[in-house]
Amino acid sequence: MRPGNPEALSQPYDPSRIEPTRYTWWEQQGVFQPRADLAAQPKGTGAKAPFVIAIPPPNVTGSLTMGHVLGESIRDTIVRWQRMEGRETLYIPGMDHAGIATQNVVEKKLRAEKKSRHDLGRDRFLESVWAWKEQYGGLIFQQERRLGTTPDWSRERFTLDEGYSRAVLTVFKKLYDEGLVYRGRYIVNWCPRCRTALSDEEVDMVEKDGHLWHLRYPLADGSGSLVVATTRPETMLGDTAVAVNPKDPRYTKLVGRKVVLPLVRREIPIVADDMVDAKFGTGCVKVTPAHDPNDFQTGRRHNLPEIVVMDEDGRMNDAAGDFRGLDRFEARQRIVAALQDAGYLERIDDHHNSVGHCSRCNTVIEPYLSWQWFVRMAPLAAPALEAAKKGHVKMYPARWKKVYLHWLENIRDWCISRQLWWGHRIPVWYRGDEMVVSLEQPEGEGWRQDEDVLDTWFSSWLWPFATLGWPDETEDLKRYYPNSLMVTGSDIIFFWVARMIMAGYHFMGEAPFAHVYFTSIVRDAQGRKMSKSLGNSPDPLAMMERYGADSVRFCMVQTPTGQDLKFDEKALETGKFFANKLWNATKLVTMRLGGEDMGPVKESQLRLTLADRWILSRFQNAAKDVTRNLKTYRFAEAAQAVYHFAWNEYCDWYLEMAKPRWALADLGDAMTPEQRVDLRTARWVSWKVLDGVLRLLHPFMPFVSEELWQAIPHDGETLAHAAWPKSKKAWNDPQAEREVAFLQAVVTAVRNLRVESKIAPGKLVPVVIRGDAAQLELIEKLESQLKPLARIETLTLARDGSRPGVAASAVVEGAEVFLPLEGLIDVDEERARLAREAEKLLTDLEGVKRKLRNQDFLAKAKPEIVAKENERLAQLEETLEKLRRAEQSLSSFRG
RNA sequence: GGGCGAAUAGCUCAGCUGGUAGAGCACCUGGAUCACAACCAGGGGGUCACAGGUUCAAGUCCUGUUUCGCCCACCA
């Protein structure tokens, strides 16, 4: 047992003073690495399997947001809890190279110098990105340290590191060899600003008010015309057919004939295709295979030419004739104007539709025909579907499972090539017609590597095993795969979670983790998403400076599960106040321990009072509560259980009840041996329970709990490695809980009467209590506790059943509590108050009576419910009766 | 168009297996009592969105409606 250091508490609680130094101290203690003694045991031979969790790698460009703080608070709370449970814990940190995001940042910097990446060339550009990464990247981890999280920093991974890159390229080759990666010329989502292809997940659909342009296309034989409707008139330059529904009687005659494309004067066929909905628009659809995914399919079915009319910047190309060089939106206006001039514009309708936007830069996405690499997803999805359905991977909250299943059941192939430079360059080599997929450049002259890089998510989906050394069969991989838990936002359930599960099964033959916990999305007080442009995102570092990292963690962890969190800075005060409360309570306890060594104290040699038995019982109950709620990811309930126990039971009641007993120390040598035992008992219990509170608190508020733990006598180097409290059956004491509940009710009643009677708070008052023999006996036993708590001068037990004259009174569990204060009490007011009380009870009583008159209730409700109602009836009647007696008794003194 | 979620005190939210509606903040009254004014003591405040249904009993289960939010979707 170490003695503790009470002097540490001589200054007021100030989180910014204690937190940073404590973090460094933990690092020096090696708290963050898996415990060597546990790691030395062969896996599975110890009592418990290792607990492994990986951070969702933040973008290398990232800085700490409240969203990160939320996720990190939850992850670290669990990690610390598991560590205290005695499990070998590994928390893996790392960063994501974030292809587009990072390249955008560096290109923006270049633009400020009036340069483009093309001016530098690929190699020099990459050099400058790496230089940027070295200088600015990973800022987030410096910030995160402030929060007190405990990843094993020595294992930090970066998705573009040598080893990790090999994993990514190996995966590409493996999938290619299995026929699950292929190259093809298809319509993809193209961002004309980022100048790259994107996956479907990287496109945000935004509802917009637009127009539906009706264009008249004349028949080639001059026998008439038809009208097509389109939301994107500029693509008409690339039309290679008009389609109608084969069952549409209006147009069957036209199928096989031709129309002349206005402006372009190209003759294009009218084809029949089921894709056309006869009820929409005119029932005629212009077909632009190179600029619309639907039309692309139609085009392939009918062997139509695919005419690309735009370049990769979204400008019209040479195929656009007179409109070449124009931006697509300017071209739209000019083409509509030209059509109108030539009499081809039938009309313009208002139209509401969804338009895809680049999730990175918000530019309108262009469906673009190009050569890209794809992953065939259906075979990968099958085991991932199975896993969720059979519960091998469980999701919390459970409703996300449905979202996950729906996506996997409708999975589409994944476009993984990006026309960027920052990323894993595709390991494919070309020479003439030859193509080789290889991690190394093939032998011989003239090989040219694919210019494109892989989607960032094509590297992060390997995170749970690539961070452990895969594809090598490392010790880490054997020991720490699969991970135990994934904690992340539901916004990346498709991007990342689903794909990690697919990769886990495909490459490791096993789910990457057993549980997924989805955190809330952090919003501002008005419910808007946090964003840089709105400037509504609070600076987490400023929050931690102001309230302490402990408070930020404590409050963020208590987010509503599965709902968005409306962040309100005001809420952070709660945690700070709580920490301050515990700081002062610990100061009090350390002072009263009088330096006594708790080491040799044996519980069996103590003489526990009712208060002791009560607080120990309540404590073991709280420990059970906290643990149960952590197990089910109910963090708010877990945190509340610690908060409530520590503040409202331990501080508000137990410490107050311990004070008179601590005061025995003032007797010094005059203490009898029995008093000595009483003092030691009060000291031991107050210390023991405080020690337990700090343990329960540690995962939530690591800094202040450690600080306080070091200040009291403690067993061990660091609280981070102290054992998690078990709910102790021997301490469970329902009778003590009932008795103290009665005591509390009496104290509250007296305090209430004092206030109602306007008695000065400091004034000691006489109290008379009537009740049955058992109650009076209990009160007698509790007298020494009761008197200071309620500021009672003299306590009289009315054993003869007599009642005092003029008195304020209340009924507590059938016992009557009187404040006999003739002259200080306004009799009329007191009578009125009693009448109000009685009236309230009468309403309740009516309800209970009604219930008990109901034959169905008596017959069908569970017997214990009926018994409870009967009991309640008796109690209400008794209380009511006593209130009335008190009122009558007062009326005789009236005037 | 399909799906999901939310609606409970002035505000933010709990309320798990149906059985006397809770917390924090805010508010009101009183208090410099030697751990703590970042505190203590006491208090007021709710037709649980609406309408039906199931049940002895509904904030809780079922159906529908309204409002708000989110996700998915190739009607040009």
Side-chain angles (χ1 to χ4, degrees):
Chain A
M1 188 71 57
R2 292 153 200 253
N5 173 27
E7 275 76 53
L9 308 179
S10 55
Q11 296 179 53
Y13 170 62
D14 175 8
S16 58
R17 181 168 57 80
I18 64 168
E19 290 176 350
T21 47
R22 183 57 67 185
Y23 194 81
T24 317
W25 183 82
W26 279 324
E27 278 192 296
Q28 285 160 359
Q29 299 283 316
V31 166
F32 305 167
Q33 279 91 44
R35 255 169 62 183
D37 56 331
L38 298 174
Q41 300 170 2
K43 182 179 180 181
T45 57
K48 292 163 177 174
F51 181 84
V52 185
I53 186 169
I55 190 172
N59 288 356
V60 60
T61 53
S63 59
L64 202 65
T65 65
M66 291 314 287
H68 292 122
V69 168
L70 170 59
E72 287 298 281
S73 297
I74 288 175
R75 277 185 291 276
D76 197 59
T77 295
I78 295 184
V79 167
R80 284 183 182 268
W81 163 53
Q82 288 296 315
R83 191 180 285 126
M84 292 175 78
E85 288 274 18
R87 286 177 79 174
E88 179 191 352
T89 53
L90 174 59
Y91 184 7
I92 306 167
M95 265 186 305
D96 197 308
H97 68 280
I100 301 183
T102 309
Q103 182 160 328
N104 278 352
V105 167
V106 177
E107 285 194 292
K108 195 171 172 188
K109 206 175 133 229
L110 285 178
R111 255 202 311 285
E113 301 162 16
K114 303 258 186 270
K115 278 190 270 187
S116 81
R117 67 174 150 126
H118 301 281
D119 296 334
L120 296 189
R122 188 166 190 140
D123 290 344
R124 278 188 55 212
F125 176 74
L126 287 179
E127 272 169 34
S128 72
V129 184
W130 277 105
W132 184 92
K133 188 244 173 196
E134 292 312 316
Q135 196 173 353
Y136 303 104
L139 165 72
I140 190 166
F141 287 144
Q142 286 313 313
Q143 299 175 321
E144 200 190 305
R145 284 174 145 81
R146 184 69 186 79
L147 193 62
T149 59
T150 55
D152 181 352
W153 295 114
S154 69
R155 289 166 194 264
E156 188 179 327
R157 291 287 186 279
F158 182 50
T159 48
L160 264 182
D161 277 348
E162 163 66 30
Y164 200 104
S165 296
R166 195 154 47 82
V168 174
L169 301 182
T170 302
V171 158
F172 182 92
K173 178 160 169 55
K174 269 177 111 83
L175 291 177
Y176 178 80
D177 291 343
E178 292 164 351
L180 294 176
V181 152
Y182 62 92
R183 186 170 184 252
R185 187 170 151 85
Y186 294 100
I187 293 262
V188 294
N189 304 297
W190 185 269
C191 174
R193 202 215 60 85
C194 302
R195 278 214 248 169
T196 180
L198 301 171
S199 65
D200 295 336
E201 287 69 38
E202 289 166 294
V203 177
D204 296 333
M205 300 304 282
V206 181
E207 300 241 324
K208 280 201 170 162
D209 289 321
H211 300 288
L212 194 57
W213 285 272
H214 289 68
L215 313 181
R216 184 171 292 282
Y217 287 5
L219 289 164
D221 57 14
S223 63
S225 64
L226 51 73
V227 175
V228 298
T230 179
T231 52
R232 295 167 61 226
E234 68 281 10
T235 63
M236 61 86 61
L237 301 179
D239 285 2
T240 52
V242 168
V244 296
N245 190 292
K247 295 195 188 91
D248 191 337
R250 292 173 296 176
Y251 301 120
T252 37
K253 290 195 301 273
L254 296 180
V255 175
R257 293 168 67 181
K258 296 198 165 175
V259 293
V260 177
L261 192 59
L263 309 182
V264 184
R265 306 243 186 98
R266 180 162 66 231
E267 283 198 6
I268 57 175
I270 300 167
V271 299
D273 197 287
D274 288 330
M275 169 272 280
V276 180
D277 176 0
K279 290 192 282 294
F280 185 88
T282 60
C284 297
V285 183
K286 60 189 273 309
V287 183
T288 322
H291 289 278
D292 182 278
N294 258 330
D295 293 3
F296 178 76
Q297 300 294 338
T298 311
R300 290 273 161 117
R301 281 194 290 272
H302 297 275
N303 280 318
L304 299 173
E306 294 157 358
I307 302 176
V308 177
V309 298
M310 284 176 215
D311 63 18
E312 48 187 44
D313 291 334
R315 292 178 177 280
M316 308 311 286
N317 67 12
D318 290 347
D322 296 346
F323 301 97
R324 90 170 58 83
L326 291 178
D327 173 78
R328 53 194 166 141
F329 296 112
E330 198 185 344
R332 175 179 297 177
Q333 292 183 346
R334 300 275 279 271
I335 287 167
V336 168
L339 287 168
Q340 184 163 29
D341 289 347
Y344 294 116
L345 182 64
E346 182 71 11
R347 69 171 196 279
I348 307 173
D349 288 351
D350 288 337
H351 186 65
H352 198 71
N353 67 339
S354 295
V355 180
H357 290 69
C358 174
S359 60
R360 273 292 145 204
C361 68
N362 213 33
T363 301
V364 173
I365 289 299
E366 197 60 40
Y368 191 64
L369 184 62
S370 54
W371 282 98
Q372 303 290 345
W373 287 92
F374 299 86
V375 180
R376 211 180 296 284
M377 297 300 272
L380 295 172
L385 268 167
E386 182 96 344
K389 281 181 183 162
K390 291 201 170 154
H392 301 315
V393 176
K394 283 205 178 73
M395 313 217 172
Y396 301 85
R399 65 188 163 85
W400 290 108
K401 177 172 155 184
K402 270 190 228 171
V403 178
Y404 169 91
L405 292 178
H406 180 259
W407 186 75
L408 283 177
E409 278 159 1
N410 297 284
I411 193 123
R412 287 183 290 167
D413 286 355
W414 176 15
C415 174
I416 52 171
S417 43
R418 298 288 177 275
Q419 287 62 50
L420 307 170
W421 287 350
W422 177 243
H424 304 92
R425 191 158 174 186
I426 292 177
V428 175
W429 308 80
Y430 308 92
R431 184 169 71 181
D433 291 342
E434 292 174 273
M435 185 180 89
V436 173
V437 177
S438 162
L439 274 61
E440 312 294 334
Q441 176 160 0
E443 298 287 319
E445 295 292 307
W447 288 101
R448 180 177 54 77
Q449 188 175 3
D450 197 300
E451 292 291 322
D452 294 346
V453 301
L454 292 162
D455 181 6
T456 295
W457 298 101
F458 192 82
S459 58
S460 27
W461 72 326
L462 314 176
W463 194 246
F465 52 88
T467 48
L468 296 171
W470 191 91
D472 298 335
E473 285 191 28
T474 60
E475 289 304 310
D476 272 6
L477 195 62
K478 280 184 227 159
R479 190 171 186 89
Y480 301 123
Y481 189 91
N483 299 178
S484 313
L485 171 68
M486 171 53 58
V487 175
T488 191
S490 54
D491 51 338
I492 52 176
I493 185 169
F494 308 137
F495 275 118
W496 197 45
V497 177
R499 287 174 183 159
M500 272 191 291
I501 295 170
M502 290 189 249
Y505 276 100
H506 195 76
F507 298 105
M508 297 295 294
E510 208 178 343
F513 29 69
H515 291 181
V516 185
Y517 178 84
F518 290 107
T519 61
S520 315
I521 308 275
V522 183
R523 298 176 176 280
D524 72 5
Q526 283 94 56
R528 301 171 303 179
K529 243 180 189 163
M530 297 277 180
S531 83
K532 275 182 194 162
S533 53
L534 279 175
N536 60 348
S537 183
D539 174 9
L541 292 178
M543 296 299 112
M544 289 189 263
E545 264 332 288
R546 217 166 294 159
Y547 304 97
D550 278 332
S551 177
V552 171
R553 289 172 61 122
F554 186 73
C555 297
M556 292 306 285
V557 97
Q558 299 190 55
T559 54
T561 32
Q563 268 189 82
D564 291 354
L565 166 75
K566 275 192 207 167
F567 178 78
D568 183 2
E569 187 180 326
K570 183 94 175 116
L572 295 179
E573 280 189 341
T574 313
K576 188 180 181 181
F577 293 173
F578 182 42
N580 182 59
K581 181 73 184 177
L582 289 172
W583 182 277
N584 287 300
T586 305
K587 189 159 92 183
L588 171 70
V589 172
T590 53
M591 276 173 358
R592 299 299 185 228
L593 288 181
E596 187 163 336
D597 184 3
M598 291 297 150
V601 177
K602 294 247 175 3
E603 194 182 336
S604 57
Q605 296 163 348
L606 300 174
R607 205 163 54 199
L608 298 180
T609 64
L610 175 62
D612 296 329
R613 288 188 286 119
W614 168 73
I615 199 67
L616 290 172
S617 184
R618 295 300 298 158
F619 171 72
Q620 64 87 34
N621 190 59
K624 192 163 61 183
D625 223 21
V626 176
T627 311
R628 181 175 53 90
N629 283 310
L630 281 174
K631 272 185 186 153
T632 47
Y633 305 110
R634 302 164 72 91
F635 301 104
E637 286 82 350
Q640 279 305 307
V642 187
Y643 181 91
H644 182 264
F645 174 76
W647 199 317
N648 304 113
E649 305 203 84
Y650 181 70
C651 290
D652 285 353
W653 290 95
Y654 182 76
L655 292 184
E656 292 305 323
M657 292 194 285
K659 278 177 183 174
R661 293 195 287 148
W662 287 331
L664 288 170
D666 299 341
L667 296 175
D669 292 339
M671 254 187 293
T672 66
E674 284 187 354
Q675 286 175 323
R676 214 168 275 287
V677 173
D678 287 343
L679 173 61
R680 183 171 301 136
T681 302
R683 284 177 166 171
W684 186 84
V685 174
S686 52
W687 163 75
K688 189 71 186 170
V689 175
L690 177 57
D691 169 86
V693 164
L694 295 175
R695 288 171 197 244
L696 291 177
L697 183 68
H698 188 253
F700 304 96
M701 304 182 102
F703 292 107
V704 72
S705 57
E706 177 82 82
E707 208 67 20
L708 297 177
W709 198 70
Q710 296 291 336
I712 63 172
H714 56 283
D715 206 355
E717 194 74 41
T718 167
L719 179 55
H721 282 164
W724 185 251
K726 297 270 169 291
S727 93
K728 214 167 158 180
K729 268 221 178 90
W731 284 353
N732 187 35
D733 194 336
Q735 193 192 337
E737 294 202 21
R738 273 196 304 275
E739 292 183 356
V740 170
F742 178 64
L743 166 80
Q744 291 174 325
V746 171
V747 170
T748 304
V750 174
R751 287 171 175 170
N752 185 353
L753 291 178
R754 298 174 60 107
V755 171
E756 298 283 355
S757 313
K758 302 194 167 52
I759 313 277
K763 187 176 163 60
L764 297 178
V765 292
V767 166
V768 177
I769 297 182
R770 290 179 83 229
D772 61 33
Q775 287 171 328
L776 293 185
E777 195 187 324
L778 182 56
I779 295 283
E780 193 167 31
K781 200 163 81 178
L782 297 173
E783 181 169 354
S784 63
Q785 322 247 270
L786 191 56
K787 284 172 82 175
L789 287 170
R791 299 200 157 255
I792 297 172
E793 187 173 32
T794 53
L795 181 65
T796 310
L797 304 179
R799 291 190 197 280
D800 58 359
S802 66
R803 50 179 63 246
V806 175
S809 66
V811 183
V812 179
E813 291 179 31
E816 289 167 275
V817 177
F818 299 95
L819 251 62
L821 290 170
E822 182 139 28
L824 288 176
I825 290 171
D826 182 321
V827 173
D828 287 337
E829 212 164 274
E830 174 64 8
R831 282 186 62 218
R833 195 181 65 80
L834 290 170
R836 281 199 304 275
E837 285 284 306
E839 197 152 336
K840 242 190 271 176
L841 286 181
L842 209 55
T843 321
D844 290 354
L845 189 63
E846 280 311 310
V848 176
K849 277 185 174 166
R850 206 177 311 122
K851 231 176 188 177
L852 287 169
R853 272 198 306 268
N854 184 339
Q855 290 307 310
D856 283 329
F857 174 72
L858 296 175
K860 292 179 184 169
K862 281 179 251 159
E864 60 265 32
I865 299 292
V866 178
K868 224 167 138 189
E869 288 299 317
N870 271 312
E871 215 173 285
R872 193 160 164 244
L873 174 75
Q875 197 161 48
L876 283 170
E877 280 180 332
E878 190 189 351
T879 308
L880 196 58
E881 164 66 19
K882 285 174 175 161
L883 285 177
R884 282 180 175 153
R885 283 276 304 278
E887 197 191 332
Q888 279 166 19
S889 157
L890 270 183
S891 60
S892 57
F893 292 96
R894 196 167 179 192

